[in-house]
Amino acid sequence: MVLKEEYIRLIFGLKLKQIRTKRNLSLFGLSKLSGLSKSYLNEIENGKKYPKRDKILILAEKLEVTYDEMVSTKLDKNLAPIGEILQSGILKEIPLEVFGIAESDLINIISNAPSKVNAFISTIIEIAQNYNLGIESFYLAALRSLQEAENNYFPEIEEAVLQFSEAYQLDLSENIKSMELEEILVEEYGYTIVPDAIDQSPGLENLRSIYVPKSKKLLLSSRMDEAQKAFIFAKEIGYNYLEISTRPYTFSWIEFKSFDEVLSNFQASYFAGALCIPRKRLQNELKKFLQLKKWDDKEMINMMQSFNASPESFYQRLTNILPNDFNFKNLFFLRFTHEEGAPKYYLKKELHITHHQEPHANEINEHYCRRWVSLKTLMEISTTKKSHVFNTQISEYENSKNQYLVISSATADPFKKGHYRSISIGILLTSSLQKKYPFLTNHNIPTAKVGVTCESCSITDCDVRAAAPKRVLKAASFKETVLKVEELTKKFE
């Protein structure tokens, strides 16, 4: 692979620093020895400058190496992993700037302890391979980290929605219909909407929309309801109004080719959610609900159904508004999928604010706790075939004893026959939160002791266990062995 000029500079800088440190020379010492300024040498080592031939000859002479050795891009075994990283282009794939990290800083960290960092990187790669984690998993994990770092609230997009609604005279106090958004797409952005176009192509039944950039045609599926159509139109408006060019063209996405696509998809989705479920209106609805003296499932369902949005969009929007506007700082969001008759339940999406809560994804093929209300709603809808199953539960985690109020909605997947999905949001019950909102203690919501996975759960009287607690048993066996070793050791002291 041909190395880019910036990477050639970085490699030269790394080699210079390695040779200098082997000679036990400081930058000041090398400057004094070579006659080159300390600041200039520092810029070379940081990959910002590549010296001219005469300067390289001076450095080679003073460091007692050949000119060819200095300019060669071949690295010794300690620096070889860094060369592989640079040539692979992986640093360009990692969205370093999103997390405020300069590429040169990361290279500097690697160069300071190449063997240790190489072992760390190799470990990460091996873990990723063992657990079948691809680049898309990495992109999505990076996005999730960004959301969690910002408490999933992005004021610039919230403001963009307000500006858009004012510019196009949309009344955010009322539900926005899909036809209003369709008109804007057609009149303002030159779209042509092609209804039912996806239905004509067998094998694309799982897709809701396809955007054709050359003709500005938006192909739709007939399986969408009004709320889904409004969301898709709002999302397309988001791409245009936010001036996003790098984006996926299908919904749901087939693959993400870069982190920019992942981020763009999220930004447009956030815009759509904020437009279909406006912040101010949701704030008002939540204020009314939070003033209730006693928890009421019906009131929660009524609030959800008062918006032209799917249950998933509503729950997602709660993760934007509850932490930012109502100080619900510890919550989680989960989306599960399940195929009728299949033994497994799959966690497809998760979010944790502000700490990593107990119910988290795992890639080790373990069985999620069947006591979770997320799975209960899935079990119920697959047998009753209702259009919407809603349930609430106080989940007490066996290991931590933390309690969460969890609300969950399950619906059928209109794009996959016999498939169902559940959306859940869990709120950590703290004493301060319970004092502020009395309905969190004044309720008749059932409480259930839960674990995370069957394999890691120590609950002994579980009647819905799907697998043996092998991790618990292994830990117990290890502890017993340690005790026996201690007993035997004491005998021979």
Side-chain angles (χ1 to χ4, degrees):
M1 179 183 289
V2 178
L3 284 176
K4 294 182 180 179
E5 182 181 339
E6 60 182 311
Y7 288 160
I8 292 175
R9 291 199 307 269
L10 285 168
I11 287 175
F12 185 90
L14 289 171
K15 290 186 70 174
L16 176 61
K17 184 175 183 178
Q18 185 186 50
I19 296 169
R20 173 178 64 79
T21 52
K22 280 184 178 179
R23 299 291 187 277
N24 196 30
L25 280 172
S26 65
L27 271 175
F28 180 86
L30 181 58
S31 172
K32 192 172 181 179
L33 189 65
S34 65
L36 304 175
S37 72
K38 179 183 173 183
S39 60
Y40 178 65
L41 291 171
N42 186 55
E43 286 185 309
I44 292 174
E45 290 193 356
N46 286 329
K48 294 178 180 178
K49 287 188 177 179
Y50 191 90
K52 292 182 179 179
R53 177 182 171 83
D54 60 327
K55 302 290 194 300
I56 298 175
L57 285 168
I58 292 172
L59 289 169
E61 178 188 353
K62 300 303 180 183
L63 292 170
E64 300 177 356
V65 295
T66 66
Y67 174 86
D68 287 345
E69 186 178 346
M70 287 291 295
V71 299
S72 172
T73 56
K74 186 176 181 180
L75 301 171
D76 67 17
K77 65 178 182 178
N78 287 328
L79 289 178
I82 301 174
E84 291 174 7
I85 292 170
L86 295 176
Q87 292 188 59
S88 71
I90 187 64
L91 294 183
K92 293 300 181 187
E93 296 292 340
I94 301 173
L96 297 173
E97 70 286 348
V98 172
F99 300 97
I101 301 172
E103 184 177 317
S104 58
D105 292 338
L106 187 59
I107 292 293
N108 195 43
I109 292 170
I110 295 172
S111 64
N112 283 331
S115 58
K116 292 179 180 179
V117 176
N118 175 43
F120 174 74
I121 292 172
S122 298
T123 301
I124 296 298
I125 292 172
E126 187 173 343
I127 290 172
Q129 291 173 339
N130 287 342
Y131 295 112
N132 195 29
L133 299 180
I135 190 67
E136 284 183 358
S137 297
F138 175 81
Y139 288 153
L140 294 172
L143 173 63
R144 188 165 62 246
S145 297
L146 175 63
Q147 289 177 263
E148 292 169 357
E150 300 295 334
N151 286 340
N152 203 31
Y153 185 80
F154 294 84
E156 66 280 6
I157 304 180
E158 298 281 350
E159 182 59 31
V161 168
L162 294 179
Q163 292 174 356
F164 171 80
S165 61
E166 182 180 356
Y168 289 89
Q169 290 297 288
L170 294 173
D171 185 0
L172 296 184
S173 66
E174 301 289 338
N175 281 337
I176 299 173
K177 302 297 183 184
S178 64
M179 60 183 299
E180 297 178 76
L181 302 177
E182 180 178 355
E183 184 179 11
I184 294 172
L185 281 175
V186 172
E187 296 295 329
E188 184 69 14
Y189 298 113
Y191 274 51
T192 300
I193 310 299
V194 188
D196 309 340
I198 293 179
D199 302 17
Q200 302 169 18
S201 298
L204 299 180
E205 295 85 0
N206 296 340
L207 299 182
R208 302 181 188 185
S209 68
I210 301 173
Y211 177 62
V212 185
K214 286 186 178 180
S215 61
K216 285 195 169 184
K217 289 182 177 178
L218 185 63
L219 316 182
L220 302 179
S221 167
S222 65
R223 294 178 177 84
M224 290 187 297
D225 59 23
E226 163 61 19
Q228 292 166 337
K229 196 180 294 184
F231 183 85
I232 286 175
F233 290 161
K235 189 173 178 180
E236 288 297 325
I237 289 172
Y239 283 126
N240 287 274
Y241 191 75
L242 299 175
E243 298 181 345
I244 295 171
S245 55
T246 303
R247 52 160 291 183
Y249 293 119
T250 63
F251 183 70
S252 301
W253 56 271
I254 300 173
E255 65 173 344
F256 287 123
K257 298 175 182 176
S258 68
F259 181 75
D260 284 341
E261 284 193 3
V262 175
L263 186 58
S264 297
N265 180 73
F266 167 73
Q267 290 170 332
S269 297
Y270 191 107
F271 182 96
L275 185 59
C276 295
I277 309 175
R279 178 188 176 192
K280 187 174 181 180
R281 188 174 153 207
L282 181 56
Q283 279 179 331
N284 292 335
E285 293 295 327
L286 283 169
K287 283 177 184 176
K288 291 183 210 172
F289 184 84
L290 293 173
Q291 288 171 358
L292 293 175
K293 300 299 182 184
K294 190 174 182 179
W295 176 270
D296 191 326
D297 281 0
K298 289 183 180 179
E299 288 296 327
M300 174 59 71
I301 295 171
N302 289 338
M303 176 168 54
M304 187 188 314
Q305 294 178 342
S306 68
F307 294 93
N308 185 24
S310 67
E312 178 163 0
S313 293
F314 180 79
Y315 283 65
Q316 286 269 25
R317 194 68 175 128
L318 288 180
T319 67
N320 306 140
I321 303 304
L322 284 176
N324 187 75
D325 296 340
F326 294 93
N327 206 35
F328 283 72
K329 292 298 187 183
N330 296 286
L331 57 83
F332 62 80
F333 170 93
L334 306 175
R335 171 155 61 87
F336 274 93
T337 62
H338 177 62
E339 183 179 0
E340 188 175 344
K344 296 283 288 185
Y345 296 83
Y346 296 96
L347 182 52
K348 292 296 185 180
K349 196 169 188 178
E350 63 171 332
L351 189 67
H352 301 270
I353 303 171
T354 57
H355 302 291
H356 200 65
Q357 315 300 334
E358 276 95 347
H360 50 81
N362 68 84
E363 299 287 343
I364 48 181
N365 202 31
E366 293 189 354
H367 298 76
Y368 293 105
C369 179
R370 266 47 175 178
R371 294 185 175 195
W372 285 1
V373 70
S374 306
L375 272 57
K376 290 178 182 178
T377 54
L378 278 175
M379 295 174 195
E380 183 178 345
I381 197 168
S382 64
T383 54
T384 63
K385 304 297 188 294
K386 293 179 180 178
S387 59
H388 178 205
V389 169
F390 179 86
N391 203 350
T392 53
Q393 176 177 294
I394 303 295
S395 293
E396 180 178 310
Y397 282 81
E398 175 69 8
N399 292 336
S400 68
K401 305 305 179 186
N402 284 336
Q403 288 191 334
Y404 291 81
L405 166 65
V406 187
I407 62 174
S408 180
S409 287
T411 57
D413 187 337
F415 303 93
K416 290 183 180 179
K417 188 176 180 180
H419 285 71
Y420 303 91
R421 57 206 173 182
S422 73
I423 313 299
S424 305
I425 187 169
I427 300 165
L428 179 65
L429 297 179
T430 63
S431 57
S432 59
L433 208 60
Q434 288 173 311
K435 286 178 182 177
K436 189 173 183 179
Y437 303 110
F439 71 84
L440 291 176
T441 52
N442 185 20
H443 58 74
N444 56 0
I445 302 172
T447 299
K449 280 191 175 182
V450 301
V452 176
T453 65
C454 293
E455 287 81 351
S456 63
C457 181
S458 59
I459 298 175
T460 56
D461 59 346
C462 181
D463 57 351
V464 290
R465 180 180 289 281
K470 61 180 183 181
R471 282 208 272 163
V472 176
L473 295 173
K474 184 177 180 180
S477 175
F478 174 79
K479 187 176 181 180
E480 185 180 352
T481 302
V482 169
L483 290 173
K484 287 182 177 180
V485 168
E486 289 176 352
E487 289 174 5
L488 183 60
T489 303
K490 286 179 181 179
K491 290 181 179 180
F492 289 89
E493 286 180 344

